[in-house]
């Protein structure tokens, strides 16, 4: 009775969902094409085959007075399945309704979803929903799907193997079998004996491969650098490359110099420079008055600079410039200029 009541509520929910879809399509027709709003039933909008398929999947359930046994012989073993087990295994197909309602709820939060879908030419279907969920919460989604797959397939293995295999009486054995099968481990301590059990384990293999591929893709995507990390690493790499370029340039110059210093033309130029330097030194030693003239010019230039600095200091302090003429001849002032003149004449 409880199963029938839950089934009735589920069928009513599916019918109401299709009515809502029909109303949404009528509103879209009214808003986008500016036509008069007409409430059209969903069976007149081409949704009747899809509704009948979902109705058939969700209608099957163990009734209050429905009971029969099904005998199957496989590999020399006789398995007897009761009607409740078969119908409960069929009822696991109702799990798709969870995904159906979750997908509709996820897209229903966006008011401009239809306009954005038409503008970007992307259909808002299950494929887009799966991509959005994996991009938002990837590891939580994979963990939930793995747990759901494990418990669902383990219960199906229990239904298929319990009448023919005593090792599958305990539910933990079925869980262990599904885990080692989905992860491609296969210890061999537990294995199915019936054809139905083998089919369920095959589904576990396929589901495990798909989840493993999704997990690898998710991990590789999360390990990639984002835009900010790319900019940071490019800046650090540019600094490193600049330092490496400087080191390479210095090594190139050193290598060139070590090779060029022993070149015949380089050695000849160095010998010529040494000879000219030696000749210039001999010239200075041969003409001592020339060197003394240079030293006298340096002293007179320094004296002029000191005198000009003193004059500037006096002007700034507001003193009388005439005091500079009454000073001693060699003590500074303008007398330094006459001495410079005299020195220049004698030179």
């Amino acid at each position: 009775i409880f199963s029938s009541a839950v089934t009735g509520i589920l069928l009513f929910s599916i019918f109401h969902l299709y009515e809502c879809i029909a109303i949404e399509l009528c509103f879209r027709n009214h808003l986008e094409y500016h036509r008069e709003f007409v409430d059209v039933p969903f069976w007149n909008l081409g949704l009747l085959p899809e509704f009948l398929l979902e109705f058939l999947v969700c209608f099957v359930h163990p009734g209050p007075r429905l009971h029969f046994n099904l005998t199957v012989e496989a590999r020399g073993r006789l398995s007897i399945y009761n009607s409740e087990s078969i119908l409960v295994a069929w009822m696991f197909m109702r799990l798709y309704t969870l995904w159906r309602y979750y997908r509709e709820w996820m897209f229903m939060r966006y008011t401009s979803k239809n306009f954005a879908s038409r503008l970007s030419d992307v259909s808002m279907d299950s494929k887009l929903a799966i991509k959005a969920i994996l991009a938002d919460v990837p590891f939580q989604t994979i963990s939930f799907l793995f747990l759901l797959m494990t418990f669902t397939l383990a219960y199906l293995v229990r239904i298929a193997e319990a009448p023919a295999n005593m090792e599958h009486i305990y539910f933990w054995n079925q869980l262990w079998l599904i885990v080692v099968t989905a992860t491609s481990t296969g210890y061999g301590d537990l294995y199915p004996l019936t054809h139905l059990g083998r089919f369920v384990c095959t589904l576990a293999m396929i589901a495990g491969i798909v989840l493993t591929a999704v997990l690898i893709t998710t991990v590789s995507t999360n390990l990639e650098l984002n835009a900010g990390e790319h900019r940071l690493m490019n800046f650090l790499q540019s600094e490193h490359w600049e330092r490496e370029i400087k080191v390479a340039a210095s090594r190139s110059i050193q290598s060139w110099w070590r090779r060029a210093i022993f070149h015949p033309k380089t050695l000849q130029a160095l010998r010529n420079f040494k000879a000219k330097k030696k000749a210039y030194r001999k010239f200075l030693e041969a003409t001592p008055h020339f060197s003394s003239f240079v030293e006298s010019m340096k002293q007179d230039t320094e004296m002029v600079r000191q005198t000009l600095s003193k004059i500037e200091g006096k002007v700034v302090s507001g003193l009388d410039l005439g005091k500079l003429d009454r000073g001693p001849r060699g003590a500074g002032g303008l007398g330094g200029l006459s001495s410079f003149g005299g020195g220049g004449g004698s030179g």
Side-chain angles (χ1 to χ4, degrees):
I1 297 177
F2 178 76
S3 177
S4 299
V6 173
T7 302
I9 295 174
L10 179 60
L11 294 178
F12 177 78
S13 301
I14 294 175
F15 182 82
H16 181 68
L17 175 63
Y18 274 88
E19 284 187 340
C20 294
I21 294 174
I23 294 174
E24 182 183 2
L25 292 176
C26 294
F27 266 112
R28 287 175 57 185
N29 185 38
H30 170 67
L31 296 176
E32 295 179 3
Y33 300 101
H34 303 285
R35 298 176 181 177
E36 184 181 358
F37 176 77
V38 180
D39 190 4
V40 181
F42 66 87
W43 53 83
N44 292 334
L45 296 176
L47 300 176
L48 184 59
E50 185 179 354
F51 169 76
L52 292 178
L53 179 61
E54 292 191 22
F55 187 88
L56 178 62
V57 171
C58 297
F59 177 76
V60 177
H61 68 284
R65 295 184 179 180
L66 181 63
H67 180 77
F68 60 90
N69 293 328
L70 180 64
T71 303
V72 178
E73 183 178 359
R75 302 181 61 190
R77 295 175 181 270
L78 191 64
S79 302
I80 301 177
Y81 301 100
N82 55 38
S83 59
E84 288 81 3
S85 300
I86 298 174
L87 295 178
V88 167
W90 179 272
M91 289 176 62
F92 275 104
M93 297 179 63
R94 297 182 179 184
L95 292 175
Y96 87 94
T97 57
L98 298 177
W99 167 249
R100 176 74 178 273
Y101 281 100
Y102 180 79
R103 185 192 64 186
E104 296 296 334
W105 171 81
M106 184 175 63
F107 290 145
M108 195 179 298
R109 297 178 296 173
Y110 307 104
T111 56
S112 59
K113 59 178 182 179
N114 297 321
F115 174 75
S117 177
R118 293 170 62 90
L119 183 64
S120 58
D121 195 17
V122 177
S123 59
M124 305 183 69
D125 51 3
S126 298
K127 181 180 179 181
L128 178 62
I130 292 174
K131 290 183 178 180
I133 295 174
L134 289 177
D136 187 17
V137 283
F139 296 104
Q140 294 87 334
T141 303
I142 295 174
S143 301
F144 172 76
L145 291 178
F146 182 79
L147 292 177
L148 180 63
M149 175 205 70
T150 302
F151 281 93
T152 302
L153 296 182
Y155 192 82
L156 292 179
V157 170
R158 178 182 178 84
I159 294 175
E161 294 292 322
N165 192 350
M166 295 299 296
E167 293 182 355
H168 291 279
I169 295 178
Y170 302 101
F171 187 65
W172 291 108
N173 290 339
Q174 288 94 43
L175 289 176
W176 174 251
L177 175 61
I178 294 299
V179 170
V180 298
T181 303
T183 55
S184 301
T185 305
Y187 284 111
D189 51 350
L190 293 174
Y191 53 89
L193 298 178
T194 63
H195 296 306
L196 184 60
R198 291 182 175 182
F199 175 73
V200 175
C201 290
T202 303
L203 295 180
M205 296 176 192
I206 298 174
I209 293 173
V210 173
L211 289 180
T212 303
V214 174
L215 179 62
I216 293 174
T217 305
T218 303
V219 172
S220 62
T221 302
N222 283 271
L223 290 179
E224 291 181 356
L225 299 177
N226 55 28
E229 293 170 345
H230 269 294
R231 288 194 298 268
L232 174 61
M233 293 307 300
N234 289 336
F235 175 77
L236 297 178
Q237 287 293 336
S238 63
E239 182 180 358
H240 174 70
W241 291 335
E242 184 179 357
R243 184 171 61 252
E244 291 294 330
I245 288 173
K246 292 180 180 178
V247 172
S250 63
R251 290 178 179 176
S252 178
I253 294 174
Q254 291 176 0
S255 177
W256 175 85
W257 174 255
R258 291 169 182 172
R259 293 182 180 181
I261 196 64
F262 297 104
H263 197 271
K265 292 184 178 179
T266 306
L267 296 177
Q268 183 63 31
L270 291 176
R271 285 193 292 267
N272 293 337
F273 175 74
K274 187 177 181 180
K276 291 180 179 180
K277 186 177 180 181
K278 185 176 180 180
Y280 180 70
R281 188 183 299 110
K282 289 182 179 180
F283 170 76
L284 293 179
E285 292 176 356
T287 55
H289 63 278
F290 182 78
S291 59
S292 62
F293 172 74
V294 172
E295 293 294 332
S296 177
M297 288 294 294
K298 289 182 179 180
Q299 293 177 2
D300 292 340
T301 303
E302 181 66 21
M303 186 180 300
V304 170
R305 188 185 65 78
Q306 293 178 1
T307 303
L308 291 176
S309 62
K310 289 181 180 180
I311 292 173
E312 291 177 357
K314 294 293 183 177
V315 171
V316 172
S317 60
L319 298 178
D320 188 7
L321 296 176
K323 295 180 180 180
L324 297 175
D325 296 334
R326 293 193 295 271
R329 182 177 181 86
L334 296 176
L337 295 176
S338 59
S339 65
F340 171 73
S346 62

